[in-house]
Amino acid sequence: MTTQDKLNKVSHSDIKEYRGKLLDWYDAHAREVPWRIKSGQATDPYKVWLSEIMCQQTTVQAVKAYYTKFLKLWPTVQGLANAHNDEVMAAWAGLGYYARARNLHKCAQIVTNDYGGKFPDNETDLKNLPGIGDYTAAAITAIAFNKPATVVDGNVERVIARFFAIEDPLPHAKKILKSHAALFFEGFAGRPGDLAQSFMDLGAGVCIPKAPRCSLCPLQEHCLGFANNIAAELPRKIKSKTRPQKYGHIYWIKNPAGQILFEKRPAKGLLGGMSALPTSDWSIDKIDCIHNFKLKKSIDEKVTHTFTHFDLELTLHHAHAPNTNLEGGYFWDKPENQGEAMPSVFQKAFKILNKNNP
Ligand code: SF4
């Protein structure tokens, strides 16, 4: 049976039944996360937006503390808009994918200045804001404004692929998966926000990646992936190429006042706009230490880090500052002021270098 045949076979009353089962399950088993409101409370689009941006490419578990910290620092979108960019980047440090933090701040400023502090309530206008793509616009529309929207993230894709036994591989299958998800979402004005979150929770806790826990699933008796015993293999994916390995050097340079040399990375590019320790280029060749810092001592322990597109191995050095004036984004600061304001890869290096501080 082709995926189109499967689609044609599903009736509206079937979908109504499946949706009802899913929502009943959600009422009993919804995850407790800080951004979920209690029944009867009004939603705050600022909080929904903040949580959705933070959860992009990051686990809910990792996001919880950052979400609470941001709301304490900036309880409103106007407060966030008026913060200094450095403060926002420092508060985000460790959460990764730093373009999200830059866009978060820009978006808060646009919502404050152009929309009077109120997030737009439709997908089209939301998608015009920085950092908001198809998924996030749909999630905000459904969860913050309780309006119908087809909300499809990785969790929902997995549930849909298994439920309809769609074997076309990702990423090509994205459109097919979305059209199947739309059967559940489109025009459903009853509880659109809860429906989106019920799919997300099912994907995160029951229909999990490697070994789905089908015995706990409210959709089991209708699930084609389960019936055909192929659920765990879905969604299929086109094999990605292995990530290249890159290498580089990091420097710890101390002045007589006990301050350390830091660098503000250029606004554009990887980890842009973040505070960092001075580093060489990162290259697929094992490059020599070609910086004009004079090396004092190299550390045996290396730092390794995995980015989306490459793996990185860094060699760490204590060094002397050059006699020449330092140009670019360099600045001196006490180590304790910057230690936690840097992205994770620099924090790893910082800890080792600080421990071995000569
Ligand atoms: Fe996923 Fe299993 Fe539920 Fe199907 S029955 S949706 S595979 S958890």
Side-chain angles (χ1 to χ4, degrees):
M1 201 189 302
T2 67
T3 47
Q4 189 56 49
D5 292 338
K6 284 174 199 162
L7 197 62
N8 295 341
K9 273 186 70 132
V10 183
S11 72
H12 282 298
S13 63
D14 289 340
I15 291 289
K16 201 170 156 200
E17 183 191 346
Y18 309 153
R19 201 161 45 206
K21 286 186 176 175
L22 191 52
L23 284 167
D24 286 349
W25 173 85
Y26 179 72
D27 289 339
H29 300 284
R31 281 180 292 181
E32 287 213 3
V33 285
W35 47 89
R36 292 260 168 92
I37 52 154
K38 307 249 177 319
S39 154
Q41 283 179 333
T43 47
D44 179 347
Y46 170 60
K47 293 180 182 170
V48 174
W49 163 76
L50 185 63
S51 66
E52 286 299 333
I53 300 292
M54 286 185 163
C55 286
Q56 290 168 1
Q57 291 146 312
T58 308
T59 62
V60 164
Q61 202 48 39
V63 164
K64 284 181 182 170
Y66 283 86
Y67 172 82
T68 307
K69 174 167 69 174
F70 264 66
L71 274 193
K72 211 166 159 202
L73 288 168
W74 304 294
T76 62
V77 69
Q78 290 90 345
L80 179 59
N82 293 331
H84 194 284
N85 188 252
D86 286 351
E87 291 175 88
V88 177
M89 298 308 280
W92 190 277
L95 201 50
Y97 299 97
Y98 294 92
R100 288 185 299 168
R102 286 195 294 278
N103 283 329
L104 182 91
H105 195 210
K106 269 192 231 153
C107 182
Q109 291 171 332
I110 294 171
V111 169
T112 299
N113 298 330
D114 300 352
Y115 290 88
K118 288 192 167 39
F119 278 84
D121 65 356
N122 64 83
E123 290 180 72
T124 310
D125 289 342
L126 283 164
K127 275 194 272 187
N128 284 331
L129 294 169
I132 299 187
D134 290 353
Y135 161 74
T136 308
I140 296 172
T141 303
I143 300 169
F145 299 106
N146 215 29
K147 290 167 73 175
T150 302
V151 184
V152 184
D153 68 353
N155 280 331
V156 181
E157 277 179 348
R158 184 168 58 254
V159 176
I160 292 291
R162 289 171 173 173
F163 185 76
F164 291 103
I166 295 170
E167 299 197 48
D168 311 56
L170 283 167
H172 303 321
K174 276 188 177 293
K175 259 193 174 167
I176 301 166
L177 293 173
K178 192 165 181 183
S179 64
H180 283 69
L183 293 173
F184 283 85
F185 286 104
E186 231 168 59
F188 178 60
R191 300 169 61 189
D194 287 348
L195 181 65
Q197 294 179 101
S198 65
F199 265 109
M200 292 173 192
D201 284 14
L202 190 76
V206 176
C207 199
I208 51 177
K210 286 195 178 111
R213 304 159 79 194
C214 301
S215 60
L216 304 176
C217 181
L219 302 178
Q220 193 208 71
E221 66 176 298
H222 313 288
C223 176
L224 292 173
F226 175 77
N228 297 342
N229 204 19
I230 53 170
E233 297 159 29
L234 301 179
R236 299 201 196 286
K237 288 183 186 151
I238 291 175
K239 281 215 169 75
S240 58
K241 294 180 200 136
T242 52
R243 272 191 299 269
Q245 175 72 52
K246 291 194 177 184
Y247 303 90
H249 301 269
I250 281 202
Y251 311 94
W252 176 273
I253 299 163
K254 199 172 179 185
N255 70 16
Q259 294 170 312
I260 300 299
L261 188 68
F262 293 95
E263 181 181 17
K264 171 75 81 189
R265 292 178 66 84
K268 291 229 162 95
L270 187 66
L271 312 179
M274 300 296 293
S275 296
L277 289 166
T279 178
S280 66
D281 285 343
W282 297 342
S283 141
I284 40 181
D285 300 316
K286 277 198 175 177
I287 48 171
D288 286 338
C289 202
I290 49 170
H291 224 285
N292 58 356
F293 303 136
K294 200 163 156 238
L295 297 189
K296 227 174 357 181
K297 176 182 152 201
S298 299
I299 311 286
D300 290 337
E301 196 177 344
K302 308 250 193 242
V303 162
T304 55
H305 196 78
T306 298
F307 291 95
T308 326
H309 301 299
F310 63 94
D311 292 326
L312 180 65
E313 182 188 290
L314 291 167
T315 307
L316 313 179
H317 310 274
H318 289 282
H320 293 291
N323 295 328
T324 51
N325 281 340
L326 287 162
E327 289 178 358
Y330 293 114
F331 62 96
W332 296 99
D333 201 353
K334 289 190 192 146
E336 59 271 25
N337 288 350
Q338 296 295 329
E340 296 196 346
M342 296 186 290
S344 308
V345 61
F346 290 102
Q347 288 193 26
K348 288 184 197 169
F350 180 94
K351 279 189 194 129
I352 298 168
L353 284 157
N354 200 14
K355 195 172 67 192
N356 290 280
N357 200 355

PDB file of all heavy atoms in Angstrom, residues 304-316:
ATOM      1  N   THR A 304      37.944  17.920  23.648  1.00  0.00           N
ATOM      2  CA  THR A 304      37.218  17.491  22.436  1.00  0.00           C
ATOM      3  C   THR A 304      35.778  17.983  22.543  1.00  0.00           C
ATOM      4  O   THR A 304      35.214  18.086  23.640  1.00  0.00           O
ATOM      5  CB  THR A 304      37.214  15.955  22.283  1.00  0.00           C
ATOM      6  OG1 THR A 304      36.677  15.397  23.471  1.00  0.00           O
ATOM      7  CG2 THR A 304      38.597  15.418  22.047  1.00  0.00           C
ATOM      8  N   HIS A 305      35.203  18.312  21.399  1.00  0.00           N
ATOM      9  CA  HIS A 305      33.834  18.833  21.387  1.00  0.00           C
ATOM     10  C   HIS A 305      33.181  18.473  20.059  1.00  0.00           C
ATOM     11  O   HIS A 305      33.844  18.462  19.026  1.00  0.00           O
ATOM     12  CB  HIS A 305      33.868  20.355  21.560  1.00  0.00           C
ATOM     13  CG  HIS A 305      32.542  20.942  21.927  1.00  0.00           C
ATOM     14  ND1 HIS A 305      32.035  20.888  23.206  1.00  0.00           N
ATOM     15  CD2 HIS A 305      31.608  21.574  21.179  1.00  0.00           C
ATOM     16  CE1 HIS A 305      30.853  21.478  23.237  1.00  0.00           C
ATOM     17  NE2 HIS A 305      30.557  21.901  22.011  1.00  0.00           N
ATOM     18  N   THR A 306      31.892  18.185  20.122  1.00  0.00           N
ATOM     19  CA  THR A 306      31.177  17.826  18.900  1.00  0.00           C
ATOM     20  C   THR A 306      30.224  18.946  18.512  1.00  0.00           C
ATOM     21  O   THR A 306      29.347  19.303  19.306  1.00  0.00           O
ATOM     22  CB  THR A 306      30.375  16.521  19.127  1.00  0.00           C
ATOM     23  OG1 THR A 306      31.313  15.496  19.428  1.00  0.00           O
ATOM     24  CG2 THR A 306      29.583  16.134  17.902  1.00  0.00           C
ATOM     25  N   PHE A 307      30.422  19.504  17.343  1.00  0.00           N
ATOM     26  CA  PHE A 307      29.474  20.462  16.773  1.00  0.00           C
ATOM     27  C   PHE A 307      28.594  19.702  15.775  1.00  0.00           C
ATOM     28  O   PHE A 307      28.886  18.555  15.440  1.00  0.00           O
ATOM     29  CB  PHE A 307      30.213  21.601  16.058  1.00  0.00           C
ATOM     30  CG  PHE A 307      30.953  22.515  16.997  1.00  0.00           C
ATOM     31  CD1 PHE A 307      32.298  22.324  17.267  1.00  0.00           C
ATOM     32  CD2 PHE A 307      30.305  23.568  17.620  1.00  0.00           C
ATOM     33  CE1 PHE A 307      32.978  23.155  18.139  1.00  0.00           C
ATOM     34  CE2 PHE A 307      30.978  24.407  18.496  1.00  0.00           C
ATOM     35  CZ  PHE A 307      32.316  24.198  18.754  1.00  0.00           C
ATOM     36  N   THR A 308      27.566  20.381  15.261  1.00  0.00           N
ATOM     37  CA  THR A 308      26.668  19.695  14.321  1.00  0.00           C
ATOM     38  C   THR A 308      27.424  19.194  13.093  1.00  0.00           C
ATOM     39  O   THR A 308      27.169  18.096  12.605  1.00  0.00           O
ATOM     40  CB  THR A 308      25.561  20.668  13.822  1.00  0.00           C
ATOM     41  OG1 THR A 308      25.244  21.545  14.870  1.00  0.00           O
ATOM     42  CG2 THR A 308      24.354  19.927  13.330  1.00  0.00           C
ATOM     43  N   HIS A 309      28.367  20.005  12.600  1.00  0.00           N
ATOM     44  CA  HIS A 309      28.992  19.672  11.322  1.00  0.00           C
ATOM     45  C   HIS A 309      30.431  19.168  11.424  1.00  0.00           C
ATOM     46  O   HIS A 309      31.017  18.809  10.419  1.00  0.00           O
ATOM     47  CB  HIS A 309      28.938  20.877  10.378  1.00  0.00           C
ATOM     48  CG  HIS A 309      27.541  21.323  10.108  1.00  0.00           C
ATOM     49  ND1 HIS A 309      26.619  20.495   9.508  1.00  0.00           N
ATOM     50  CD2 HIS A 309      26.902  22.462  10.388  1.00  0.00           C
ATOM     51  CE1 HIS A 309      25.470  21.133   9.417  1.00  0.00           C
ATOM     52  NE2 HIS A 309      25.610  22.325   9.952  1.00  0.00           N
ATOM     53  N   PHE A 310      30.992  19.177  12.615  1.00  0.00           N
ATOM     54  CA  PHE A 310      32.359  18.655  12.730  1.00  0.00           C
ATOM     55  C   PHE A 310      32.690  18.323  14.189  1.00  0.00           C
ATOM     56  O   PHE A 310      32.020  18.797  15.110  1.00  0.00           O
ATOM     57  CB  PHE A 310      33.385  19.648  12.162  1.00  0.00           C
ATOM     58  CG  PHE A 310      33.471  20.965  12.878  1.00  0.00           C
ATOM     59  CD1 PHE A 310      34.396  21.173  13.891  1.00  0.00           C
ATOM     60  CD2 PHE A 310      32.625  22.021  12.534  1.00  0.00           C
ATOM     61  CE1 PHE A 310      34.482  22.378  14.554  1.00  0.00           C
ATOM     62  CE2 PHE A 310      32.706  23.241  13.199  1.00  0.00           C
ATOM     63  CZ  PHE A 310      33.633  23.424  14.195  1.00  0.00           C
ATOM     64  N   ASP A 311      33.701  17.483  14.363  1.00  0.00           N
ATOM     65  CA  ASP A 311      34.248  17.203  15.693  1.00  0.00           C
ATOM     66  C   ASP A 311      35.519  18.034  15.855  1.00  0.00           C
ATOM     67  O   ASP A 311      36.261  18.225  14.889  1.00  0.00           O
ATOM     68  CB  ASP A 311      34.605  15.713  15.823  1.00  0.00           C
ATOM     69  CG  ASP A 311      33.361  14.841  15.826  1.00  0.00           C
ATOM     70  OD1 ASP A 311      32.341  15.293  16.360  1.00  0.00           O
ATOM     71  OD2 ASP A 311      33.415  13.730  15.276  1.00  0.00           O
ATOM     72  N   LEU A 312      35.771  18.472  17.070  1.00  0.00           N
ATOM     73  CA  LEU A 312      36.905  19.369  17.286  1.00  0.00           C
ATOM     74  C   LEU A 312      37.822  18.822  18.378  1.00  0.00           C
ATOM     75  O   LEU A 312      37.339  18.306  19.387  1.00  0.00           O
ATOM     76  CB  LEU A 312      36.366  20.744  17.706  1.00  0.00           C
ATOM     77  CG  LEU A 312      37.393  21.839  17.977  1.00  0.00           C
ATOM     78  CD1 LEU A 312      38.165  22.208  16.710  1.00  0.00           C
ATOM     79  CD2 LEU A 312      36.707  23.087  18.538  1.00  0.00           C
ATOM     80  N   GLU A 313      39.125  18.920  18.131  1.00  0.00           N
ATOM     81  CA  GLU A 313      40.099  18.586  19.179  1.00  0.00           C
ATOM     82  C   GLU A 313      41.005  19.791  19.380  1.00  0.00           C
ATOM     83  O   GLU A 313      41.609  20.288  18.421  1.00  0.00           O
ATOM     84  CB  GLU A 313      40.943  17.376  18.764  1.00  0.00           C
ATOM     85  CG  GLU A 313      41.937  16.979  19.848  1.00  0.00           C
ATOM     86  CD  GLU A 313      42.907  15.923  19.362  1.00  0.00           C
ATOM     87  OE1 GLU A 313      42.481  14.767  19.146  1.00  0.00           O
ATOM     88  OE2 GLU A 313      44.104  16.258  19.200  1.00  0.00           O
ATOM     89  N   LEU A 314      41.079  20.275  20.610  1.00  0.00           N
ATOM     90  CA  LEU A 314      41.860  21.480  20.883  1.00  0.00           C
ATOM     91  C   LEU A 314      43.053  21.174  21.782  1.00  0.00           C
ATOM     92  O   LEU A 314      42.915  20.443  22.772  1.00  0.00           O
ATOM     93  CB  LEU A 314      40.980  22.521  21.588  1.00  0.00           C
ATOM     94  CG  LEU A 314      39.864  23.134  20.732  1.00  0.00           C
ATOM     95  CD1 LEU A 314      38.880  23.894  21.621  1.00  0.00           C
ATOM     96  CD2 LEU A 314      40.437  24.051  19.673  1.00  0.00           C
ATOM     97  N   THR A 315      44.201  21.723  21.430  1.00  0.00           N
ATOM     98  CA  THR A 315      45.385  21.637  22.280  1.00  0.00           C
ATOM     99  C   THR A 315      45.464  22.929  23.093  1.00  0.00           C
ATOM    100  O   THR A 315      45.202  24.016  22.558  1.00  0.00           O
ATOM    101  CB  THR A 315      46.650  21.478  21.410  1.00  0.00           C
ATOM    102  OG1 THR A 315      46.435  20.382  20.525  1.00  0.00           O
ATOM    103  CG2 THR A 315      47.874  21.209  22.254  1.00  0.00           C
ATOM    104  N   LEU A 316      45.795  22.780  24.364  1.00  0.00           N
ATOM    105  CA  LEU A 316      45.737  23.932  25.275  1.00  0.00           C
ATOM    106  C   LEU A 316      47.140  24.396  25.641  1.00  0.00           C
ATOM    107  O   LEU A 316      48.021  23.576  25.885  1.00  0.00           O
ATOM    108  CB  LEU A 316      44.981  23.549  26.549  1.00  0.00           C
ATOM    109  CG  LEU A 316      43.660  22.804  26.354  1.00  0.00           C
ATOM    110  CD1 LEU A 316      43.030  22.477  27.706  1.00  0.00           C
ATOM    111  CD2 LEU A 316      42.701  23.639  25.534  1.00  0.00           C
TER     112      LEU A 316
END
